[in-house]
Amino acid sequence: MLVFAASDKGGTGRSVTSANLAYRRALDGDDVCYLDFDFGSPTATAVFDTPNVRTEAEGRGLHSFLKGKVTEPLRADVWSRTEHPVLSDRPSGSGRLVLLPGDRGGGEFVTDEENLHRCVDLFLRLRREFDLIVVDLSAGRSYAMDLVLAATARDELRRVPARWLLYHRWTRQHVMAAAELVAGRQGIVSHGVAMGHDRAALLGAIRFVRAAVPDLESPQWAQMPPAQYTWMRQCNKRLEELAASLEIGKSRVLGSVPLEPVLQMHEQLITDDDVLDSKIANFKTRQALVELAERLTDDKYWGQL
């Protein structure tokens, strides 16, 4: 299955959450491949704690491959290449976790027939190797998004299951921007239909992920001054109403990730050690990531709308 991670704005937690979903699926035994298609600012090597891979990717990453400068993109086995003390000890029963990094400073590029063909071929080859292929796209209506919309509209990929995760923070501006990215005149759906996608099928393959959502029922927020707490609850209600009016309400949401200090301060994978041993991360964050990873392939959360 192909999973495309998109967002209208930067700073939504798209990359770090997608990496955590890939990690969780690999822990459950799936063979997972993570592609850094954020051509303007590839950061996956930092999230997976593979600094040497970032250096090696210069001139050998996905950007160079798609432009025909190399015949194969660089691959890195995360379990063996990471410098993270927990990740480097591959858990028993886990599947493969492979990173295809982007070139450092590669930059965006316009889609043409040659790099489109390379993209289609890459997806087909990876599908034969991996259960899940996570593709992290640049923010907004980027060339990377154009490329994958065009690729998945090709006959060769039409029957390959594909799902889209649209990330946004839980603020008015981000909610409005996320809705526009999907349903706007230049959004994913209209652009995808113009490329040959079926509108209902494409819309049905899109779900939203709310990031950095305050848990107003937690003791942390309940200790706020009464006036602030009341105002926060009112804002939350208005945001729910706004999301529903823009047709990205709860029925379109695959899951929400709580406001997590670890992810705000240091974008990283949340391991069980972080929650149960060092206790630097919150249990609710771990649970949210586990649920999101499970729902990726649970058909009851998907289907045409």
Side-chain angles (χ1 to χ4, degrees), residues 68-89:
K69 295 180 179 180
V70 293
T71 57
E72 286 292 332
L74 177 68
R75 292 189 182 201
D77 177 80
V78 173
W79 302 122
S80 62
R81 297 298 306 275
T82 185
E83 295 185 1
H84 193 293
V86 173
L87 300 183
S88 59
D89 184 13

Side-chain angles (χ1 to χ4, degrees), residues 3 19 23 32 37 42 93 125 136 147 150 181 227 257 268 282 284 291 297-298:
V3 177
Y23 166 63
V32 183
F37 265 46
R125 287 190 287 120
D136 181 24
L147 177 62
L181 179 61
V257 180
Q268 65 177 60
N282 293 315
K284 284 190 174 182
E291 289 174 6
T297 51
D298 189 338

Side-chain angles (χ1 to χ4, degrees), residues 27 29 95 142 256:
L27 284 180
S142 63
S256 299

